[in-house]
Amino acid sequence: MNHQSVLIVDFGSQVTQLIARRVRESGVYCEIHPYDKAVAALASVKPAAIILSGGPASTTEDESPAADHALFETGVPVLGICYGEQTICAQLGGKVESGHHREFGRAEIEVTKASPLFEGFAKLGQPETVWMSHGDRVTAIPPGFEVIAVSAGAPFAAIADETRKIYGVQFHPEVAHTPRGATLLRNFTHRIAGLTGDWTMAAFKDEAVARIRQQVGKGRVICGLSGGVDSSVAAVLIHEAIGDQLTCVYVDTGLMRSGESDQVVSLFRNHYNIPLIHVDASKEFLGGLAGVSDPETKRKIIGKLFIDVFDKESAKIDGAEFLAQGTLYPDVVESVSARGGPSAVIKSHHNVGGLPDYMKLKLVEPLRELFKDEVRVLGVELGLHPDFVGRHPFPGPGLAIRIPGEITPEKVTVLQQADAIYLEEIRKAGLYDKIWQAFAVLLPVKTVGVMGDARTYENVLALRAVTSTDGMTADFFEFPWEVLGRTATRIINEVRGVNRVVYDVTSKPPGTIEWE
């Protein structure tokens, strides 16, 4: 790609990906790279601006993460966020101390000096709401810098070296709790760095088609369809690039939503006329999962069976050289995370980073630069119906992660029926598009109840619905009681094996939104 771009240097913040989302929303392409690989990324990204993320470390500690000085010598504007500001101060001649007043949560800043960074904010001296999350405190700023905003707990809430175009903010502009945060980031990329915002999905589609053709040549591609939006968009994009050189394989694991398999087969065979192999592997998957309760073990079993099925099917396709996957950018970022956190566990069911050595296929991952909502925009650009691309996310392991404990065919049937009723009632109420993800979970708990004149001892079913703008943070959806009541009544009456329904009102911090 040949776009103006921003390099985001990751110091381990849970919301680094939100920075990228906000930057891309303004039409600017960006990439996230770990702090210890940032200098190497300069050559590939060719950034017109650099953003240093927040992070959990303290610059006052030995061997704390630091920005390579080469980043400050590129001549392009630099913005440090939270830890990013602190490392700017610690490295360029200022001072950071621990043990001072901490700030966590909402706070108010006052812009004390006019700066292009705060264009469109409140007038000087007027309060502006932001989100703080820091334990250390900047106590001295480097030579050449000046204070441009303060807060009650941070006398250096924002600093600037306007000559070198290096800026630091102690708060987090990337989160929704900072109302004008997107404006600040746009000011940095457009006003200060002079970017025009040439990142569009139409341009991405044309570039992706060209890249696929160049990578594949005359070869054949096998694409694994999961029934979800990501793999479906990837398949349609690849088909546009190489036509009948693509063969899709839909593996029916027996863990899909009710009616999912019929919908997928009909869409790709009848509507798009894309060659499709439908493999009913439900016996293999349910057999492989029999007696297994550990969620991580279940994921690994499912992942291995997927690979085995694809390896077997690809051997039947003459000249198959490539395997296409719907890998997204968050998968890539988490798989190469420098902070050694939970990413390996979160993404254990993906093949990010390569395939097993014995599998003689090369990966085609046309969506690996996109976030989830960008994939939806691409789907519409490709002509997919908005109702399809607007479907709620469905996990690769399917209903396996929505049945904690041992999986049996009977449990799968119960969950499919209950989940179908739940989604039907949400659509009837006109709430589907207001919810980012909704699903039912069959809990490994039974309870005594009375139905009619008889005692029952059956399963508890949990309903979950969350709102989200990015798929990385989420809050529970505030259902109207009448919708929940109607849904619960239908499930109790129509699904044998459930005698109690509960609604999960747990909020989710940054990380995976799935149940297990």
Side-chain angles (χ1 to χ4, degrees):
M1 292 185 298
N2 186 26
H3 293 282
Q4 298 171 320
S5 59
V6 171
L7 171 62
I8 299 174
V9 181
D10 184 14
F11 287 100
S13 170
Q14 288 187 316
V15 290
T16 297
Q17 291 185 29
L18 291 183
I19 303 174
R21 286 300 310 116
R22 300 297 169 258
V23 171
R24 290 198 184 181
E25 284 168 3
S26 66
V28 175
Y29 180 72
C30 60
E31 290 186 12
I32 301 170
H33 290 268
Y35 72 92
D36 57 350
K37 297 179 176 63
V39 172
L42 289 175
S44 61
V45 179
K46 298 182 178 64
I50 296 170
I51 298 177
L52 310 179
S53 84
S58 170
T59 61
T60 63
E61 298 172 352
D62 293 338
E63 300 182 1
S64 59
D68 194 292
H69 277 276
L71 299 176
F72 301 116
E73 297 167 0
T74 59
V76 304
V78 177
L79 171 65
I81 295 174
C82 196
Y83 183 88
E85 182 197 46
Q86 293 171 4
T87 198
I88 286 173
C89 291
Q91 293 182 237
L92 299 185
K95 190 174 182 181
V96 180
E97 297 180 7
S98 59
H100 286 277
H101 177 69
R102 301 185 302 169
E103 283 185 303
F104 294 96
R106 283 184 175 84
E108 289 186 343
I109 64 167
E110 291 183 8
V111 178
T112 57
K113 190 175 190 308
S115 169
L117 192 67
F118 287 118
E119 195 72 33
F121 275 61
K123 294 180 180 179
L124 296 183
Q126 296 298 309
E128 192 77 50
T129 300
V130 298
W131 187 264
M132 294 282 192
S133 181
H134 63 95
D136 291 351
R137 182 176 182 179
V138 175
T139 55
I141 56 178
F145 282 79
E146 56 187 341
V147 179
I148 58 174
V150 299
S151 75
F156 304 105
I159 60 174
D161 181 335
E162 300 285 4
T163 302
R164 289 190 288 172
K165 294 185 177 179
I166 302 177
Y167 301 83
V169 294
Q170 191 60 78
F171 54 91
H172 286 271
E174 69 272 31
V175 302
H177 304 303
T178 300
R180 296 187 201 269
T183 299
L184 184 148
L185 290 170
R186 185 181 176 88
N187 285 341
F188 175 69
T189 56
H190 289 66
R191 292 180 180 275
I192 294 171
L195 280 66
T196 58
D198 61 354
W199 169 248
T200 67
M201 203 47 64
F204 174 86
K205 185 193 79 169
D206 293 340
E207 292 161 356
V209 166
R211 285 200 306 269
I212 293 166
R213 288 172 178 166
Q214 182 179 22
Q215 179 185 5
V216 173
K218 300 294 185 181
R220 298 191 63 81
V221 179
I222 181 172
C223 177
L225 285 178
S226 67
V229 174
D230 303 338
S231 64
S232 298
V233 171
V236 175
L237 177 63
I238 294 169
H239 188 255
E240 181 159 320
I242 61 173
D244 287 348
Q245 290 172 244
L246 169 71
T247 299
C248 290
V249 176
Y250 174 66
V251 179
D252 186 347
T253 65
L255 300 166
M256 313 307 291
R257 287 174 290 206
S258 179
E260 186 99 57
S261 296
D262 292 340
Q263 294 171 8
V264 171
V265 172
S266 175
L267 179 68
F268 283 87
R269 280 185 180 163
N270 302 333
H271 186 75
Y272 287 104
N273 199 29
I274 297 176
L276 173 67
I277 298 172
H278 179 197
V279 183
D280 184 356
S282 54
K283 290 183 179 179
E284 289 92 328
F285 278 84
L286 292 172
L289 293 168
V292 179
S293 297
D294 179 69
E296 188 59 20
T297 303
K298 287 192 287 189
R299 287 175 181 267
K300 289 178 178 178
I301 289 171
I302 292 169
K304 183 180 183 305
L305 286 171
F306 259 111
I307 292 294
D308 290 345
V309 170
F310 280 116
D311 196 34
K312 181 179 178 181
E313 293 302 322
S314 64
K316 301 176 184 177
I317 301 173
D318 292 338
E321 301 175 42
F322 300 90
L323 173 63
Q325 290 191 158
T327 305
L328 303 189
Y329 194 49
D331 304 332
V332 176
V333 172
E334 292 181 15
S335 71
V336 298
S337 171
R339 55 188 181 271
S343 59
V345 173
I346 291 172
K347 294 301 172 190
S348 60
H349 60 285
H350 284 279
N351 299 315
V352 179
L355 295 169
D357 292 338
Y358 68 83
M359 197 170 186
K360 300 177 177 63
L361 292 172
K362 291 167 280 189
L363 278 176
V364 178
E365 298 174 307
L367 309 182
R368 64 183 286 120
E369 294 151 339
L370 301 183
F371 287 91
K372 186 75 175 185
D373 55 331
E374 291 174 321
V375 173
R376 298 187 192 280
V377 177
L378 176 60
V380 174
E381 186 74 32
L382 288 165
L384 282 160
H385 195 281
D387 286 348
F388 180 82
V389 297
R391 294 170 70 195
H392 292 176
F394 189 63
L399 298 180
I401 64 170
R402 296 176 182 172
I403 304 176
E406 183 181 0
I407 297 172
T408 66
E410 293 76 21
K411 289 182 179 180
V412 172
T413 298
V414 168
L415 184 55
Q416 286 175 331
Q417 292 174 350
D419 194 67
I421 292 171
Y422 185 29
L423 296 180
E424 181 183 334
E425 288 298 326
I426 288 173
R427 287 191 174 95
K428 281 183 180 178
L431 300 175
Y432 190 84
D433 292 335
K434 297 179 181 180
I435 299 170
W436 191 82
Q437 186 182 45
F439 55 86
V441 178
L442 190 64
L443 299 178
V445 176
K446 287 193 172 185
T447 182
V448 174
V450 177
M451 299 177 70
D453 295 321
R455 277 184 171 275
T456 63
Y457 183 60
E458 294 179 338
N459 297 289
V460 177
L461 186 91
L463 303 179
R464 179 157 172 73
V466 297
T467 58
S468 179
T469 57
D470 45 56
M472 290 173 280
T473 59
D475 203 354
F476 66 89
F477 180 73
E478 295 186 15
F479 262 113
W481 283 112
E482 61 270 19
V483 177
L484 274 180
R486 187 163 57 246
T487 302
T489 299
R490 280 196 60 192
I491 291 172
I492 295 295
N493 288 336
E494 299 176 30
V495 181
R496 294 185 63 85
V498 176
N499 70 355
R500 191 175 302 275
V501 175
V502 298
Y503 182 58
D504 175 14
V505 294
T506 307
S507 298
K508 241 339 198 172
T512 181
I513 291 177
E514 289 306 337
W515 187 266
E516 290 187 348

